[in-house]
Amino acid sequence: MWLKPEEILLKNAFKLWLTEKDNEYFVLQRRRGYGEGGGGLTGLLVGTLDTVLDSTSKVAPYRILHHTPDSQVYWSIACGVTKEEIVQHWDWLQQNIMRTLSVFDSSEDITSFVQGKIRGLIAEEGKMCLVLEEDPEKFREAHLRFEKWFELPAEEKLVTYYSCSYWRGKVPCQGWLYLSTNFLCFYSFLLGSEVRLVISWDEIWKLEKTSNVILTESIHVLAHGEDHYFSMLLHLNETFLIMEQLADYSIKRLFDKEAYQKEPALSDPLQITKRGLEAYGKSAQFRTFFRLPKEENLLEVHESFLWVPFSHFNTLGKICLSENYLCFASQDGSQCHIIIPMREVVSVEKPDSSSRSLTVCVRGKRALRFSEVRDYQRLANSIRSRCGISASPQHSVSSEVIRGECQSLINHFEDNPEDVTLMVGQKDSSKAVSTEALMTVFHPQDVENLDPKMLKEKMKEQSWNIHFSEYGRGTSMFFTRKTRDLIVRGVPEALRGELWMLFSGAVNDMATHPGYYTEMVEQSLGTSTLATDEIERDLHRSLPEHPAFQSDTGISALRRVLTAYAYRNPKIGYCQAMNILTSVLLLYAKEEEAFWLLVAVCERMLPDYFNRRIIGALVDQAVFEDLIRENLPQLVEHMTDLSFFSSVSLSWFLTLFISVLPIESAVNVVDCFFYDGIKAILQLGLAVLDYNMEALISCHDDAEAVTILNKFFDSVTNKDSPLPPTVQQASVGNNDKASRMKVDISELIREAYEKYGNISAEEVESSRKRNKLYVIQTLEDTTKQNVIRVVSQEVRFSASHLNELYNLFKRQHFLCCYWTMQSPALLHHDPSLAYLEQYQLGFQQFSVLFSLLEPWGFCTTKSTLSLWVFRLIDENQDGLINFKEFCFALDTLYCGSFTNKLKFLFKLHLPPAFDLPEDGVIRKSPERGRGKVDLQAYLKQWQHEILKKEETIKDLPRINQTQFIQFSKTLYNIFHGDPEEESLYRAVAHVTSLLLRMEEVGRRLQGPSSPPESAKPTSASAVEESSTEEASSTPESADSPSSPNSQEAVEVEWSFSFEQVLASLLNEPAIVSFFERPFDFQTKLGQVKVAQLKLKVNK
């Protein structure tokens, strides 16, 4: 590697370097402790220094220095990990530089020329390099160390590195932590003790910041049941954040493909950089906080003051700018934020050139004044360019024109208020869909009704109208503490749909996609998939007691919304609980609005909830358990196993309490959810447990606890609900006691906010990331245990061996996914399939792993034999091998009897294994996980497996001439390199000769039908000679066995049965002892584990 020239005053400082080559202008040196001789104690000390210190000397064991004859100053210009690498640099200097240097007269000119040339080479490398870091030179050196110490494939992308201590027991090892796209690596070398650690991100169970008496602050990593601690990090928070992002990225890419495919920023593992991860993390946080679409990215951040008209003071905060939104969030504790879509901005003005402020005018006669903006000119230009405002702020005439246009637009909207609705996309463009919320149709409000509940409802509406007049209404409304207070008290029925749209961000989705829902409805009409079948089955189970869903109007609207969403997002399709949630959304929102609310919930607010494995819900249950431990210690002391609460609370999270609370109470919970997200559900869950604390502590079993919670939910009411009894749900277990002890939902929510409102959204997100690793790995471990349990019944490997084999098999599946954007192996991984089918290997992956594991070294990755093995064990002929099929092959080769091993080799040379397809290409597996499941095909396959009888040696067909010749070659390949190779070769030759003579005798006894004797010996001797000559042939030489000539084949065609071959080989003790020789399978597994990473699947 070429280095930026650096001056070195002492060529041989402390005798740490030895000169290997030199000439008039250059010196090639080797560092003591490397290469020949090792260097003794000096070399040991040098090695330690090289690891601990961060200097150029520790980069590599070889370097090239430049000097001139009349100078004592040396310049380091190149370094290398291996001698071959540094010699390449040396040879390049000899061929390209040495001849040119004789032209120069002065030493200064020579040194300047050499330095310029080296810098030019580095610049050329930089153009081709993907690394874009703050200090490219230092990063290149770190990358060189990373490659040298860990010997990972060249495609592995180093993201960043840190100096830290790794704790082995109670002893810290000072070294370097390297974080790459797929691996966490650590290296330390202290006084002869070397520590090298490589952990792939997809193997990590737990990643967290910890502290104790010995380690004040450290990062704890749990992988393969082992704890690893890293401390003394200069930037611990930054390191942890990058580690967390890389682990999450790996989980999404390898296990959670639905989420990964929606993240274009992370699509290419070779393009991941530290800067890119930081930008992606900030954008994700920005989108989550302001509830923005996933396409938005944080582009600019400006610190400023915003004039808050309702408080009459300037609040300090940050302006966040994305492609389509201008957002502001306060930082002074006032919890004030505002979201302005660029489509709403009318003009951007600067009051005067001397002040650093600007005013943003938005539709609806609103203006926002930002002051003390450091780069106000850039911000103004950015907003103008994104809004399409071309007026220049430099000319007062233009400013007057803008003001005039702004005022005329405001006047127009005041005169035509319906146009405002049109501009924000709330005017329905479809006649085929319902244009009214179902509650409006089935329970219209009676304006003249003076019922106390209706009066209270009117008072709530009045409170919100006053709030709108002060804080604004619609997309550019201020969100403050007062907004939350109003939410906690309860949202009026008439405003519920509007506020849900606003708080969830769905209003922006709908405004930017006019006509999209109608299009989805039309395209999904008449489609028949597994999702549509499930939707039809669940339609009449969605709030069946509500009049809206006892009529065709409600059922049809529900069908359209669910089917349209399943069509929009086939990865999710339809999952249970979506029907309950959507039915409530349809009660208070128009049909198109309900669709966009469902999009917001499924794709932003509750990520990964509605898929086959409900990972998101399981993660939030784990977060809930953590909060119980932290906030309800009394309950934890009584119930040490908190998994009970996970099973009970699953429906709470999936349906937002709708399935357990009466509808009139549940909608208040949904109000809080749309404002505060999952935090509101967690708070309420804690409040429910806290309310029932005494009863839960006194209960004796889980069933009793479930009964207590069910009775509690039945007793929850909404005393302010204006809905008539026909709409309200009846309590399921209503009895006299329950009726005397009613709990008001508003009081319960208020209590939840008072007691647990200090839980921040940031803490919840951090806990989600931490628990997601554990949840995913637990699901993966369950899959592994189920697979091993099934396979262990049919093979002779121990459970520990199967466990290690499964890890190798799974890693091989992922190895080709590590460095490619679109790996076919990822398409083969479908968590919704049966356990055995979740991880499968294609031919290329299989051949690499099998060549590492098979006992005799006869099956190289490129040989046709590996293809034959693959075809033999691929029972269903789908071009994929599952773990069970893979283990059967290894079990036969390692644990099988002599007869079974021979039978396996014999079958390799019979169809379908031996016969290649006409095009020579392996059939690809069918696309999985799509459409309906063919249950009849599964049942037939199951019946076939049950009725399948044990194959006997008599069932095997005879092996023909071509196949037998190849069988003999395979035996020679197996014996190649064995200490008893000579005797084994002779034994094979003897068996071949014996079998051919037996066949010849048999043909003679057949009488006149036998072929002429003159042809027979020639043919037999030719085969025998061919077999002997090919004794040391490689599998590559036998890749395409030629078929015999048609006429001669008919004349001299002969074949052998398996019994004949077996009987002949049993007479050769050398061959029998070879196949019955025991193998140390544990050692083999250890070797493969080390070698597997160094071999990459050939595409």
Side-chain angles (χ1 to χ4, degrees):
M1 182 179 80
W2 299 110
L3 299 174
K4 183 180 175 183
E6 285 188 9
E7 189 175 318
I8 296 174
L9 294 176
L10 295 174
K11 179 181 74 170
N12 239 4
F14 304 109
K15 300 288 182 185
L16 298 180
W17 293 91
L18 299 173
T19 300
E20 299 265 309
K21 294 182 181 182
D22 64 345
N23 59 36
E24 192 177 359
Y25 297 108
F26 300 102
V27 181
L28 190 157
Q29 294 185 323
R30 172 173 58 83
R31 195 152 175 82
R32 285 188 183 276
Y34 298 92
E36 299 172 4
L41 182 59
T42 308
L44 194 66
L45 290 168
V46 170
T48 301
L49 286 170
D50 285 352
T51 305
V52 176
L53 300 178
D54 184 17
S55 63
T56 307
S57 63
K58 62 170 280 203
V59 170
Y62 297 94
R63 72 179 182 181
I64 296 176
L65 306 179
H66 162 66
H67 74 109
T68 51
D70 55 351
S71 172
Q72 293 298 314
V73 177
Y74 288 76
W75 300 83
S76 64
I77 59 171
C79 66
V81 176
T82 62
K83 191 165 185 178
E84 291 76 17
E85 182 187 356
I86 205 70
V87 167
Q88 277 184 356
H89 286 51
W90 179 265
D91 291 342
W92 189 89
L93 291 169
Q94 299 301 310
Q95 295 165 14
N96 298 280
I97 301 290
M98 284 298 291
R99 295 175 188 173
T100 313
L101 295 184
S102 58
V103 177
F104 297 100
D105 297 327
S106 67
S107 301
E108 290 80 4
D109 291 343
I110 291 173
T111 301
S112 297
F113 174 78
V114 171
Q115 289 181 357
K117 193 68 181 172
I118 299 302
R119 287 193 179 98
L121 289 170
I122 292 171
E124 283 299 314
E125 285 181 359
K127 288 179 185 176
M128 301 167 66
C129 184
L130 295 172
V131 177
L132 295 171
E133 301 297 332
E134 293 174 3
D135 190 347
E137 184 66 29
K138 203 170 181 182
F139 193 86
R140 286 169 74 243
E141 295 174 9
H143 197 274
L144 198 66
R145 294 196 297 270
F146 174 70
E147 290 178 339
K148 168 194 160 188
W149 284 336
F150 303 108
E151 298 178 333
L152 294 169
E155 294 86 353
E156 183 60 18
K157 174 79 169 60
L158 178 63
V159 175
T160 188
Y161 62 101
Y162 300 94
S163 171
C164 72
S165 288
Y166 170 63
W167 290 78
R168 299 180 74 185
K170 295 182 179 179
V171 180
C173 304
Q174 183 63 31
W176 291 87
L177 178 69
Y178 293 87
L179 308 178
S180 68
T181 308
N182 299 295
F183 300 96
L184 178 156
C185 306
F186 177 83
Y187 184 84
S188 172
F189 184 85
L190 289 171
L191 299 176
S193 174
E194 185 179 54
V195 178
R196 185 184 280 108
L197 184 70
V198 179
I199 302 170
S200 62
W201 294 112
D202 55 84
E203 297 169 342
I204 292 178
W205 281 67
K206 191 178 285 185
L207 180 65
E208 60 185 355
K209 287 189 284 188
T210 60
S211 60
N212 56 38
V213 179
I214 301 173
L215 308 175
T216 50
E217 257 194 314
S218 63
I219 295 173
H220 171 219
V221 177
L222 174 63
H224 291 303
E226 295 181 14
D227 292 298
H228 306 277
Y229 291 91
F230 302 92
S231 67
M232 297 176 70
L233 284 145
L234 206 59
H235 307 286
L236 187 130
N237 289 330
E238 176 192 300
T239 309
F240 179 75
L241 191 63
I242 295 290
M243 291 170 76
E244 196 175 54
Q245 285 180 305
L246 285 169
D248 186 56
Y249 164 68
S250 182
I251 289 292
K252 280 182 179 176
R253 188 158 62 97
L254 301 176
F255 298 117
D256 190 16
K257 296 192 294 298
E258 288 106 343
Y260 172 68
Q261 288 170 355
K262 297 172 194 166
E263 308 286 1
L266 301 178
S267 60
D268 188 357
L270 299 179
Q271 298 283 1
I272 300 297
T273 61
K274 178 186 172 186
R275 189 179 300 170
L277 283 172
E278 287 172 346
Y280 174 78
K282 287 176 181 175
S283 291
Q285 197 174 6
F286 164 70
R287 288 191 297 266
T288 303
F289 183 82
F290 292 108
R291 305 275 167 79
L292 298 179
K294 290 217 166 190
E295 298 77 31
E296 298 301 311
N297 294 294
L298 182 61
L299 302 177
E300 296 178 27
V301 178
H302 300 266
E303 195 169 89
S304 78
F305 286 91
L306 171 64
W307 173 252
V308 185
F310 48 84
S311 300
H312 303 290
F313 72 90
N314 283 312
T315 181
L316 175 65
K318 286 187 177 178
I319 301 170
C320 301
L321 199 66
S322 72
E323 290 87 349
N324 299 296
Y325 296 90
L326 170 68
C327 306
F328 177 87
S330 65
Q331 292 180 293
D332 57 3
S334 62
Q335 296 178 7
C336 165
H337 72 271
I338 187 168
I339 304 158
I340 307 165
M342 292 295 186
R343 64 181 184 274
E344 298 289 311
V345 176
V346 177
S347 70
V348 180
E349 301 175 24
K350 291 186 293 179
D352 57 77
S353 56
S354 59
S355 66
R356 295 185 300 173
S357 62
L358 67 152
T359 303
V360 178
C361 297
V362 297
R363 293 192 177 100
K365 211 174 180 180
R366 297 282 306 284
L368 302 168
R369 186 173 180 275
F370 298 100
S371 59
E372 298 301 321
V373 185
R374 183 174 296 175
D375 201 351
Y376 72 98
Q377 186 66 58
R378 178 187 168 193
L379 176 61
N381 291 337
S382 295
I383 298 172
R384 285 195 185 100
S385 64
R386 297 189 186 286
C387 298
I389 301 169
S390 56
S392 170
Q394 299 169 20
H395 306 290
S396 57
V397 179
S398 301
S399 297
E400 290 300 323
V401 172
I402 291 171
R403 288 193 187 95
E405 288 179 355
C406 183
Q407 190 58 47
S408 63
L409 200 62
I410 289 167
N411 294 337
H412 170 76
F413 283 122
E414 283 179 342
D415 297 336
N416 304 277
E418 68 278 0
D419 284 8
V420 179
T421 311
L422 180 64
M423 292 303 293
V424 296
Q426 292 184 1
K427 188 169 182 179
D428 209 323
S429 59
S430 169
K431 295 180 181 177
V433 299
S434 172
T435 55
E436 292 295 333
L438 293 177
M439 196 65 82
T440 311
V441 177
F442 287 89
H443 177 50
Q445 287 192 13
D446 185 0
V447 181
E448 297 179 0
N449 187 354
L450 298 178
D451 180 84
K453 288 185 178 181
M454 284 304 299
L455 287 173
K456 196 159 187 177
E457 186 75 3
K458 293 294 179 187
M459 288 172 65
K460 278 187 188 177
E461 282 186 37
Q462 188 62 31
S463 299
W464 275 97
N465 287 329
I466 293 168
H467 184 79
F468 291 146
S469 64
E470 289 184 16
Y471 297 87
R473 185 170 187 171
T475 49
S476 54
M477 184 178 90
F478 281 93
F479 295 80
T480 65
R481 279 181 183 162
K482 191 174 179 183
T483 315
R484 179 181 277 118
D485 292 341
L486 286 172
I487 290 285
V488 171
R489 289 180 207 162
V491 174
E493 299 279 319
L495 296 175
R496 192 160 265 139
E498 177 190 341
L499 293 175
W500 284 358
M501 288 289 288
L502 181 64
F503 297 149
S504 66
V507 64
N508 293 315
D509 290 327
M510 194 168 88
T512 53
H513 295 83
Y516 179 86
Y517 174 64
T518 309
E519 187 182 331
M520 288 293 102
V521 169
E522 289 171 354
Q523 290 179 6
S524 63
L525 199 66
T527 56
S528 178
T529 62
L530 184 63
T532 56
D533 289 353
E534 291 176 345
I535 289 168
E536 288 299 324
R537 187 185 65 212
D538 286 350
L539 281 176
H540 295 279
R541 303 176 186 173
S542 312
L543 301 186
E545 68 287 336
H546 198 286
F549 298 100
Q550 294 168 0
S551 72
D552 187 57
T553 306
I555 293 294
S556 298
L558 183 60
R559 179 188 292 112
R560 285 193 294 270
V561 172
L562 291 174
T563 308
Y565 185 78
Y567 188 83
R568 164 193 163 87
N569 191 346
K571 292 289 181 186
I572 291 178
Y574 170 78
C575 292
Q576 284 192 341
M578 285 173 70
N579 61 318
I580 297 173
L581 178 61
T582 309
S583 57
V584 172
L585 298 178
L586 281 166
L587 288 177
Y588 293 97
K590 297 172 186 176
E591 192 174 315
E592 185 177 3
E593 292 174 342
F595 171 79
W596 287 112
L597 283 168
L598 185 63
V599 169
V601 171
C602 294
E603 297 175 18
R604 285 203 304 272
M605 301 185 72
L606 296 178
D608 296 335
Y609 260 61
F610 302 99
N611 54 30
R612 296 281 179 186
R613 300 197 288 177
I614 56 169
I615 290 171
L618 295 174
V619 169
D620 283 342
Q621 282 182 301
V623 174
F624 187 51
E625 283 186 25
D626 289 345
L627 291 172
I628 292 172
R629 290 188 189 93
E630 188 179 329
N631 294 282
L632 303 172
Q634 286 179 285
L635 198 58
V636 176
E637 287 174 16
H638 178 72
M639 304 181 75
T640 51
D641 182 14
L642 296 182
S643 59
F644 161 74
F645 294 113
S646 294
S647 58
V648 169
S649 64
L650 183 61
S651 62
W652 305 357
F653 291 100
L654 280 173
T655 66
L656 309 178
F657 283 93
I658 295 169
S659 62
V660 292
L661 287 174
I663 185 66
E664 67 276 6
S665 301
V667 288
N668 284 36
V669 179
V670 179
D671 296 339
C672 299
F673 167 74
F674 277 123
Y675 190 83
D676 272 322
I678 195 63
K679 173 177 173 284
I681 305 299
L682 293 167
Q683 289 174 182
L684 185 61
L686 290 173
V688 167
L689 296 180
D690 188 22
Y691 195 94
N692 295 278
M693 177 83 74
E694 292 182 9
L696 288 171
I697 288 175
S698 61
C699 67
H700 299 92
D701 54 32
D702 292 352
E704 192 178 341
V706 170
T707 305
I708 289 166
L709 291 173
N710 285 340
K711 284 184 177 179
F712 170 77
F713 287 128
D714 290 338
S715 69
V716 176
T717 60
N718 187 349
K719 63 183 182 183
D720 297 332
S721 175
L723 300 179
T726 54
V727 174
Q728 294 189 21
Q729 286 180 343
S731 296
V732 179
N734 214 358
N735 53 33
D736 295 336
K737 188 176 179 182
S739 62
R740 286 198 302 268
M741 296 175 58
K742 294 292 184 184
V743 181
D744 184 55
I745 187 65
S746 299
E747 289 299 314
L748 190 62
I749 290 173
R750 187 182 56 76
E751 192 175 321
Y753 271 92
E754 285 178 359
K755 286 189 175 180
Y756 309 109
N758 58 343
I759 298 169
S760 68
E762 290 76 16
E763 286 174 21
V764 172
E765 282 303 313
S766 176
S767 184
R768 271 179 163 180
K769 287 179 182 176
R770 184 174 66 250
N771 283 292
K772 186 174 183 178
L773 289 173
Y774 186 80
V775 166
I776 291 273
Q777 295 294 7
T778 302
L779 291 171
E780 290 293 310
D781 194 57
T782 303
T783 299
K784 178 170 74 172
Q785 297 306 326
N786 282 305
V787 169
I788 290 174
R789 189 175 66 250
V790 170
V791 175
S792 63
Q793 297 171 3
E794 302 185 46
V795 298
R796 282 153 286 196
F797 289 128
S798 66
S800 61
H801 285 165
L802 283 174
N803 186 66
E804 290 189 49
L805 266 177
Y806 184 90
N807 291 336
L808 292 171
F809 188 87
K810 182 176 167 183
R811 173 178 269 189
Q812 192 65 40
H813 170 89
F814 284 145
L815 269 178
C816 70
C817 313
Y818 281 162
W819 303 286
T820 55
M821 291 173 65
Q822 298 293 334
S823 168
L826 281 176
L827 299 176
H828 301 158
H829 176 225
D830 187 349
S832 65
L833 293 174
Y835 289 124
L836 270 172
E837 306 298 318
Q838 286 188 22
Y839 290 106
Q840 301 183 91
L841 301 183
F843 170 64
Q844 294 292 347
Q845 299 165 288
F846 163 81
S847 60
V848 172
L849 184 58
F850 190 75
S851 65
L852 289 171
L853 278 167
E854 55 94 7
W856 304 309
F858 73 99
C859 200
T860 61
T861 55
K862 294 182 180 178
S863 74
T864 309
L865 267 170
S866 62
L867 172 60
W868 297 341
V869 174
F870 182 83
R871 287 195 164 278
L872 176 63
I873 63 179
D874 183 15
E875 293 179 0
N876 56 1
Q877 300 294 307
D878 65 347
L880 293 171
I881 296 295
N882 63 34
F883 183 66
K884 184 179 179 182
E885 293 166 336
F886 186 75
C887 285
F888 278 177
L890 287 180
D891 182 59
T892 303
L893 297 180
Y894 276 97
C895 309
S897 63
F898 173 76
T899 304
N900 285 336
K901 290 177 183 176
L902 197 64
K903 186 166 74 170
F904 183 85
L905 295 173
F906 188 84
K907 287 170 73 176
L908 284 183
H909 302 84
L910 294 171
F914 185 73
D915 287 348
L916 295 173
E918 291 179 10
D919 56 359
V921 179
I922 298 175
R923 292 192 300 277
K924 297 294 180 187
S925 63
E927 199 170 358
R928 295 168 177 273
R930 310 276 182 180
K932 296 184 181 180
V933 179
D934 190 349
L935 296 176
Q936 287 189 339
Y938 272 111
L939 288 171
K940 284 179 182 177
Q941 185 181 346
W942 186 34
Q943 185 181 23
H944 173 70
E945 288 179 1
I946 292 172
L947 297 175
K948 189 169 62 177
K949 62 178 182 178
E950 186 68 29
E951 183 183 55
T952 65
I953 58 176
K954 291 183 179 180
D955 296 328
L956 293 174
R958 295 174 71 86
I959 194 169
N960 66 28
Q961 179 177 331
T962 306
Q963 295 162 351
F964 180 72
I965 292 172
Q966 189 61 47
F967 177 72
S968 302
K969 289 179 180 180
T970 300
L971 289 177
Y972 284 127
N973 288 331
I974 288 174
F975 301 147
H976 182 64
D978 191 84
E980 304 294 325
E981 184 177 357
E982 295 259 339
S983 60
L984 289 166
Y985 280 6
R986 281 197 297 272
V988 174
H990 182 258
V991 167
T992 305
S993 176
L994 179 65
L995 284 168
L996 290 170
R997 289 195 186 98
M998 287 168 58
E999 178 65 19
E1000 188 177 346
V1001 170
R1003 283 185 177 275
R1004 286 177 180 174
L1005 292 173
Q1006 285 178 1
S1009 63
S1010 62
E1013 291 184 14
S1014 58
K1016 180 64 64 181
T1018 309
S1019 172
S1021 61
V1023 173
E1024 189 176 342
E1025 186 181 343
S1026 169
S1027 300
T1028 310
E1029 285 176 0
E1030 295 290 342
S1032 60
S1033 68
T1034 60
E1036 285 81 351
S1037 66
D1039 275 1
S1040 48
S1042 57
S1043 60
N1045 296 330
S1046 56
Q1047 289 186 351
E1048 279 192 54
V1050 173
E1051 291 177 5
V1052 298
E1053 186 64 40
W1054 41 263
S1055 61
F1056 301 114
S1057 68
F1058 178 68
E1059 294 99 316
Q1060 290 175 301
V1061 176
L1062 176 63
S1064 304
L1065 289 172
L1066 280 170
N1067 287 324
E1068 298 296 333
I1071 293 178
V1072 175
S1073 62
F1074 174 86
F1075 280 110
E1076 291 185 342
R1077 189 185 303 162
F1079 291 99
D1080 187 353
F1081 192 56
Q1082 186 61 47
T1083 304
K1084 185 76 171 177
L1085 287 172
Q1087 293 168 350
V1088 174
K1089 195 174 180 180
V1090 174
Q1092 191 181 26
L1093 271 179
K1094 298 180 183 178
L1095 285 177
K1096 195 181 160 217
V1097 177
N1098 295 317
K1099 295 288 172 191

